[in-house]
Amino acid sequence: MKKQITAAMLAGVMAFSLAACGGSSTATTTAAPADTTAAEASAEDTKAEDTTAAESSQEASEAASGEKKTFIVGFDQDFPPMGFVGDDGEYTGFDLELAAEVAERLGMEFVPQPIAWDAKDMELESGTIDCIWNGFTITGREDGYTWSEPYMDNSQVFVVAGDSGISTLADLAGKIVEVQTDSSAEAALKEDAELTGSFGQLLTVADYNTAFMDLEQGAVDAIAMDVIVAGYQIEQRNADFVMLDESLASEEYGVGFKKGNEELRDQVQAALEEMAADGTLTEISEKWFGKDVTTIGK
């Protein structure tokens, strides 16, 4: 009887052991995939984080690269033919076309930025613009900017109505003369106290389009301005205006950069010299003026 009981007990123990071993095997088999899934998920998260970080770094790099390639040119949008708003509403002009060509050759994005002319220095110092390129006279401003080489000769003249009876500077005595604020013509007039002292009145105006309207209406007797701009305005308006033979001052146009920015100046200068050598400067000049008025390489 004891043997039977003992045998039964042994059979029970063996059955429990087999059941226990079987349960342990099942648990182990089930746990393994769970551990693998967690590891894979962790790896995927790490990979995603690395990818996101890499993409963010690349985007930041591209953004920085894009900023470096931008060439922002400050100009007076009411100063034809150097820079103005065309009939199609787009910015255009001789200087802007030169600047756009330079930007393309330097692999930069050209951005024309209209500015208030009397705020040009503030715009340049703050970094809002990279240069001033808009019939910008070097004469009298030599120490205020880092300059390109002159690319055009210019002079300051007086424009009057053809029937005004004014033919010499002496005839301006007692007359009302108008000039653009902070322009080269204004600076030249300040240097000639004897001449300006003979005027009946010297007025300043924000732009030359307004000055020509004043001249057309008889509100002023003469305008002091750049000869290049004067010639273009007279031709475009098809009005009875003439320039006096006597000029106020002679000067040169250049591209003005923030003081000390020789790196960008040198890049622009090299592009301009390349354009002079391959005939592009002449081509653009003839398009706007009917002749080559540029001086680089001459």
Side-chain angles (χ1 to χ4, degrees):
M1 182 66 177
K2 287 182 179 181
K3 289 182 179 180
Q4 290 177 348
I5 294 174
T6 299
M9 290 177 62
L10 287 175
V13 170
M14 290 178 64
F16 177 81
S17 297
L18 287 174
C21 289
S24 175
S25 175
T26 301
T28 300
T29 302
T30 302
D35 292 342
T36 301
T37 301
E40 289 175 349
S42 177
E44 287 298 323
D45 289 342
T46 301
K47 181 179 179 181
E49 291 173 358
D50 292 343
T51 300
T52 302
E55 289 175 348
S56 298
S57 177
Q58 182 178 358
E59 289 173 359
S61 177
E62 289 175 352
S65 176
E67 290 175 4
K68 290 179 182 178
K69 291 183 178 179
T70 301
F71 184 44
I72 307 175
V73 173
F75 73 103
D76 177 355
Q77 68 176 17
D78 296 308
F79 199 57
M82 315 312 281
F84 61 103
V85 181
D87 293 337
D88 59 358
E90 299 294 324
Y91 298 127
T92 186
F94 173 67
D95 279 343
L96 293 187
E97 192 163 335
L98 291 184
E101 177 67 21
V102 165
E104 182 175 350
R105 293 185 183 222
L106 295 179
M108 296 180 175
E109 177 188 355
F110 172 58
V111 180
Q113 179 60 55
I115 58 174
W117 195 243
D118 57 357
K120 59 186 179 299
D121 293 341
M122 180 185 68
E123 300 281 6
L124 191 61
E125 287 297 319
S126 66
T128 304
I129 57 177
D130 295 315
C131 68
I132 302 168
W133 195 339
N134 192 215
F136 197 28
T137 301
I138 298 175
T139 309
R141 299 186 175 111
E142 291 87 348
D143 298 329
Y145 308 85
T146 290
W147 289 99
S148 69
E149 294 296 320
Y151 64 91
M152 277 182 69
D153 287 330
N154 186 49
S155 60
Q156 298 300 326
V157 298
F158 290 95
V159 177
V160 299
D163 60 357
S164 66
I166 300 172
S167 58
T168 67
L169 298 185
D171 293 333
L172 292 171
K175 299 297 191 291
I176 301 175
V177 179
E178 199 160 60
V179 66
Q180 181 175 339
T181 302
D182 201 32
S183 65
S184 298
E186 183 183 32
L189 287 172
K190 289 179 179 178
E191 293 294 320
D192 196 335
E194 183 178 354
L195 177 62
T196 56
S198 72
F199 299 160
Q201 194 173 5
L202 177 61
L203 305 176
T204 57
V205 67
D207 59 79
Y208 281 120
N209 286 332
T210 301
F212 270 96
M213 287 190 289
D214 289 343
L215 186 60
E216 288 174 340
Q217 295 167 5
V220 300
D221 299 301
I223 305 171
M225 62 187 305
D226 298 46
V227 65
I228 294 294
V229 179
Y232 181 84
Q233 285 273 17
I234 292 172
E235 180 181 352
Q236 292 297 308
R237 291 174 181 275
N238 193 28
D240 185 22
F241 297 141
V242 295
M243 287 184 279
L244 301 188
D245 292 334
E246 296 175 85
S247 63
L248 177 61
S250 296
E251 59 190 27
E252 296 173 311
Y253 282 161
V255 184
F257 301 84
K258 184 177 180 179
K259 193 73 173 177
N261 192 2
E262 285 88 1
E263 181 179 358
L264 182 57
R265 185 274 311 276
D266 291 346
Q267 293 175 347
V268 170
Q269 183 63 41
L272 285 171
E273 291 174 1
E274 181 182 271
M275 290 162 62
D278 65 23
T280 304
L281 275 185
T282 298
E283 180 182 343
I284 295 176
S285 179
E286 289 177 344
K287 169 185 172 180
W288 285 97
F289 304 109
K291 59 182 179 179
D292 186 9
V293 299
T294 63
T295 57
I296 297 178
K298 305 293 191 297

